[in-house]
Amino acid sequence: MKKLLLGALMLGFMSACNSDNISNQHEQSENLVSSTGGSALQRGCASEEIRKAALQSSPELRQRFSALEAQTEKFENDLKLGKVLSDGSVEIPVVVNVLYRTSAENLSDSRIAEQIAVLNADYAGTNSDVSKIPSEFQSVKSGDVKVRFRLANTVRKSTTKTSWSTNDAMKKSSSGGIDATSPSNYLNIWVVGNMGQILGYATFPESAGLWNDGVVIAAPYFGKTGASSPFNLGRTATHEVGHYLNLRHIWGDANCGNDLVADTPTQTGANSGKPSYPLYNTCSGVQRSVMFMNYMDYVDDAAMFMFSAGQKARMQSVVASSGSRSGLRLY
C-alpha cells in the first residue's frame, strides 16, 4: 500500500511532471513488446522540470503545495470515516482559447464540443470502452468521479507564430497569446497549433487562480474528428485535466515511484503504445499486474479508459467546498 506522507511529498515534488510529449523511449517492464504495442508515436515526459522549477523558485507555491496535500490527506481520511458526504456532481465551466495560424488549427465549434463530451464521459465513467476494465481492477475503478465540464466560452486569436513551447507564452496577450479568463472560476484550456513533440501540459492545484493556471494542448491531439492517431480519442485532455485536478502520473515519475494513490499498483515506469493485459512489473521484489489502462499512464488513447477510486478521492478533494479549486464550483 502506498502511503501519503507530507514530508515525503516535499521531496517527491522534485520529480513531479505535468507535461506530455511524443517519445521513443520505452518503460522498464517485464513485457516490453506488449507495452509498446507497435505504435510509431509514444507518450513520454518532456518537461518534468516545469512543476519542479516552479516550486523551487517560489516559497508561496511551496506553501500552497504543502497546504494542498495536507487538505487532500484530511479529506481522504474523513471520506474513509464517513465524514464527507457527496453533494452531487460539480460542473466546471471551461474556456477554450484557440490560437491558430492556419484554418486547420482554428478548430471548429463541433470539435471543441466533441472534446468536452469526451471529458464528461471519461470523468463520469460512461465512456464507451469502460467495459474493457479487467476484472482484477473492477473493485477499485472510480465509477463516476462526479466532475462535469460545461463549455462557457471559446476565444479565438489568429497568430503568425509557427510553434509554441512550454514557457506559457500562449497564456499572455503581451507575448502573442490569450490571457486567462478568471482562472479562479474557469478551467482555461489553450489550444495551440504546434508544440513540436509535445502533446500538452497542465498546472497543478497549487497554482489555482494564478495567471498561468490551466491546461495547454496541441491542436492535433484535441478532440477526435481530425485528430492525429494514436492520440485521437480526446484522452490527452482527460490526462492533462487529471493533473489540473491533482493527479500525478501513475508511476510517480520515478522508477517504482509513488503517485500518492493507494489503489494504483506500483509500477516501474510509464507504459506506452497498446499493452496486452496482463502486464507485469516487479518493484521491491514484488511482481504486480500494472494498471496501464489508467488515464494517468502514457499509453495510446485507445488503451486508456479508467481512473481508480483513490484518484477520484484526490480529485474530489480539490473541487470540494474546502478545496483549492472550490472557485470552479457552479451552484
Side-chain angles (χ1 to χ4, degrees):
M1 296 289 287
K2 288 171 281 186
K3 186 175 178 64
L4 189 154
L5 295 171
L6 190 56
L9 279 172
M10 293 307 295
L11 296 175
F13 80 74
M14 301 296 288
S15 61
C17 173
N18 61 350
S19 174
D20 293 334
N21 78 315
I22 298 170
S23 171
N24 289 318
Q25 296 182 0
H26 305 303
E27 79 291 350
Q28 300 175 22
S29 77
E30 296 171 15
N31 193 355
L32 187 59
V33 174
S34 63
S35 68
T36 58
S39 296
L41 302 179
Q42 298 163 19
R43 298 185 200 262
C45 188
S47 55
E48 185 175 327
E49 296 77 17
I50 291 178
R51 191 189 198 193
K52 170 185 172 182
L55 289 169
Q56 284 182 322
S57 63
S58 173
E60 178 189 357
L61 274 185
R62 290 197 298 273
Q63 185 176 21
R64 283 177 169 224
F65 174 84
S66 296
L68 165 69
E69 292 302 340
Q71 172 61 28
T72 299
E73 186 169 15
K74 180 180 185 302
F75 182 92
E76 291 175 332
N77 288 335
D78 287 348
L79 191 63
K80 293 175 183 177
L81 295 173
K83 296 181 180 180
V84 177
L85 299 178
S86 172
D87 57 353
S89 297
V90 174
E91 186 178 63
I92 295 177
V94 180
V95 175
V96 177
N97 304 293
V98 182
L99 288 152
Y100 65 94
R101 185 177 63 87
T102 66
S103 58
E105 294 174 356
N106 189 13
L107 303 185
S108 67
D109 289 344
S110 61
R111 186 159 162 186
I112 292 171
E114 186 178 56
Q115 178 64 83
I116 298 298
V118 170
L119 285 172
N120 279 320
D122 288 350
Y123 280 78
T126 59
N127 46 301
S128 61
D129 47 4
V130 70
S131 60
K132 296 180 181 179
I133 298 175
S135 57
E136 175 185 9
F137 300 128
Q138 285 288 332
S139 63
V140 296
K141 67 180 180 181
S142 66
D144 188 355
V145 175
K146 294 191 175 296
V147 175
R148 301 290 186 272
F149 304 88
R150 177 180 61 82
L151 181 65
N153 195 21
T154 300
V155 181
R156 300 177 185 275
K157 182 176 182 179
S158 177
T159 179
T160 58
K161 282 182 176 286
T162 59
S163 64
W164 301 83
S165 67
T166 57
N167 63 359
D168 287 341
M170 71 287 292
K171 303 176 182 179
K172 295 186 293 185
S173 58
S174 61
S175 56
I178 299 172
D179 293 334
T181 298
S182 185
S184 293
N185 306 112
Y186 294 87
L187 161 57
N188 280 263
I189 300 178
W190 287 266
V191 182
V192 297
N194 176 30
M195 289 197 290
Q197 292 187 319
I198 295 173
L199 275 70
Y201 68 99
T203 52
F204 282 78
E206 67 266 13
S207 297
L210 300 182
W211 68 271
N212 65 337
D213 191 26
V215 169
V216 181
I217 299 175
Y221 314 111
F222 188 88
K224 297 168 66 176
T225 304
S228 298
S229 179
F231 309 114
N232 57 346
L233 297 180
R235 262 66 193 266
T236 295
T238 301
H239 178 103
E240 297 303 340
V241 171
H243 287 314
Y244 178 82
L245 296 177
N246 205 28
L247 297 187
R248 299 183 68 182
H249 290 133
I250 194 170
W251 67 97
D253 295 297
N255 185 275
C256 297
N258 187 353
D259 67 347
L260 311 178
V261 180
D263 60 11
T264 54
T266 303
Q267 61 187 58
T268 56
N271 294 295
S272 56
K274 297 179 180 178
S276 296
Y277 174 82
L279 175 66
Y280 295 101
N281 282 179
T282 298
C283 290
S284 301
V286 179
Q287 186 186 67
R288 297 177 179 86
S289 173
V290 298
M291 195 185 286
F292 64 79
M293 67 293 302
N294 193 283
Y295 291 124
M296 303 313 294
D297 208 330
Y298 270 4
V299 294
D300 294 350
D301 278 16
M304 55 169 59
F305 35 79
M306 71 171 289
F307 288 117
S308 76
Q311 290 173 320
K312 172 182 176 177
R314 279 183 70 82
M315 290 188 280
Q316 287 185 327
S317 171
V318 169
V319 297
S321 58
S322 59
S324 57
R325 295 205 181 281
S326 60
L328 298 173
R329 295 168 61 90
L330 291 180
Y331 296 93

